[in-house]
Amino acid sequence: MTLRIPGEVLVMGAGTIGCYLGGSLAAAGVPVTLVGRPRTLDAVATRGLTVTDLDGRKTHVAAGQVRLAPQVPAGARPALVLLCVKSGATAEAAAQLAAALPAGTGVLSMQNGISNAAVAAQAGAGLVVLPGMVPYNVAELGPGAYHRGTAGRLVAQRHDVLDGWPPVFEAAGVPLDLVDDARPIQWGKLLLNLNNPVNALSGLPLRAELMERGYRRCFAALMEEALGVLARAGIAPAQVAALPPGKLLKVLRLPSPVFRIVAARMLKIDAKARSSMADDLTLGRRTEVDALCGEVVRLAQAHGMQAPRNAKMVQLLDVWPRKPEQLSPARMSEALGL
């Protein structure tokens, strides 16, 4: 059966996630425009896009197969926009999209955190902005080369503007599930993303960091604090990992030899995987910690609570550009008051 493609996809924010998704869709025959930084666009213009994953898939998209632009091209009429910019750039990107695209254009926020879709909807009046969730880590292995190092399926809030797209994403190797309420899934993913600052400050690849019990204890402490805040707020996060959050806390705190066995499925991560936050630190860019730990802090404050450990993580990451310092498990545990 011939695959019916609803139209062009515009990727707003051609970073690691944007290039991985855009490259996968382009390889399946979807017309794709990448809007991003000159560093990324120059690499794709020279080398094309290569997307790989931990299951052994390798796909190359020739340089001329995707359209490259530093901003939304005049006259663009995409059937779907994938919003993949960092959280701090959401409002600016949405305003640019609203100024250039017809009212009613579907925009799917494939960003970390909870609030980006709401921010984009407010800044991009007339756009149909939907929350989504990317479950996996993608690393830039080199110019134009993007590698998915963990497993999972994309999730998006169900809406008419997404009609016809799930089969296309499936064929492209980036399956997309539609749900009636994405918010519990977003919170479930945010709980897992609380490991991102731990990973970034460790300086280690993701799998190596998770094999260090001291770092796992830090991750568990951040998650436990967040779960207490969510309980006070009456929010039940969805299970997006192999284990529900409560059981995952216990597993993270196990001795490493036991953890290796019990968490074998969780550790299906190849050696190339690392958090995007670690990439940001390497490049000297501001991180998205405020969209992760900061969300926990703000929710706590809204319900008369404090979240001191997540607040400390925000502080540690904000200090980094002025004082780069990788933290050992002991130093990080001390900073979090463990």
Side-chain angles (χ1 to χ4, degrees), residues 18 39 71 115 132 142-143 161 177 183-184 194 196 225 266 294 312 323 333:
R39 180 185 74 85
Q71 57 187 13
S115 305
V161 298
D177 295 326
R183 197 165 183 82
L194 294 178
N196 287 9
E225 184 176 78
M266 178 181 176
K312 184 62 177 180
K323 187 183 176 184
S333 296

Side-chain angles (χ1 to χ4, degrees), residues 1 9 56 73 88 104 155 159-160 237 305 321:
M1 187 173 74
V9 168
V155 176
H159 192 280
D160 292 349
M305 299 177 66

Side-chain angles (χ1 to χ4, degrees), residues 207 210-214 216 251-264 267:
R207 193 178 193 282
L210 285 171
M211 285 308 303
E212 289 276 356
R213 189 184 188 189
R216 293 199 307 276
V251 170
L252 288 171
R253 289 167 169 150
L254 291 171
S256 291
V258 181
F259 175 77
R260 185 190 296 270
I261 296 170
V262 174
L267 289 171

Side-chain angles (χ1 to χ4, degrees), residues 114-126:
I114 305 298
S115 305
N116 283 305
V119 171
Q122 183 174 10

Side-chain angles (χ1 to χ4, degrees), residues 16-240:
T16 54
I17 294 296
C19 284
Y20 181 80
L21 296 179
S24 298
L25 290 167
V30 179
V32 171
T33 296
L34 299 179
V35 179
R37 295 186 178 96
R39 180 185 74 85
T40 301
L41 299 183
D42 290 347
V44 175
T46 302
R47 302 168 181 260
L49 266 174
T50 300
V51 293
T52 55
D53 64 31
L54 76 168
D55 300 315
R57 180 176 73 125
K58 182 175 183 180
T59 304
H60 181 74
V61 177
Q65 197 173 333
V66 291
R67 185 180 184 185
L68 308 174
Q71 57 187 13
V72 181
R77 295 294 182 267
L80 181 65
V81 175
L82 301 182
L83 183 59
C84 301
V85 299
K86 295 293 184 181
S87 297
T90 298
E92 180 183 353
Q96 186 183 145
L97 289 168
L101 303 181
T105 299
V107 177
L108 182 55
S109 168
M110 305 308 279
Q111 302 164 279
N112 284 330
I114 305 298
S115 305
N116 283 305
V119 171
Q122 183 174 10
L127 302 174
V128 178
V129 183
L130 303 170
M133 188 274 286
V134 179
Y136 34 73
N137 293 87
V138 176
E140 182 181 1
L141 302 186
Y146 297 89
H147 179 79
R148 175 174 64 81
T150 55
R153 296 172 66 91
L154 303 172
V155 176
Q157 185 118 343
R158 194 184 312 277
H159 192 280
D160 292 349
V161 298
L162 294 177
D163 286 351
W165 282 109
V168 176
F169 278 73
E170 188 84 34
V174 286
L176 173 67
D177 295 326
L178 302 183
V179 297
D180 292 327
D181 184 5
R183 197 165 183 82
I185 294 174
Q186 287 181 295
W187 274 111
K189 173 66 188 314
L190 186 143
L191 290 173
L192 299 183
N193 279 346
L194 294 178
N195 186 53
N196 287 9
V198 177
N199 176 251
L201 290 171
S202 77
L204 296 174
L206 191 56
R207 193 178 193 282
E209 173 249 316
L210 285 171
M211 285 308 303
E212 289 276 356
R213 189 184 188 189
Y215 288 133
R216 293 199 307 276
R217 290 181 68 246
C218 293
F219 173 25
L222 295 171
M223 184 187 292
E224 186 171 51
E225 184 176 78
L227 284 168
V229 174
L230 289 172
R232 173 73 69 87
I235 298 172
Q239 178 182 335
V240 298

Side-chain angles (χ1 to χ4, degrees), residues 304-326:
M305 299 177 66
Q306 292 185 335
R309 288 171 176 158
N310 279 275
K312 184 62 177 180
M313 266 302 184
V314 174
Q315 180 186 354
L316 290 171
L317 270 294
D318 282 349
V319 166
W320 177 276
R322 301 188 301 277
K323 187 183 176 184
E325 181 185 11
Q326 292 174 352

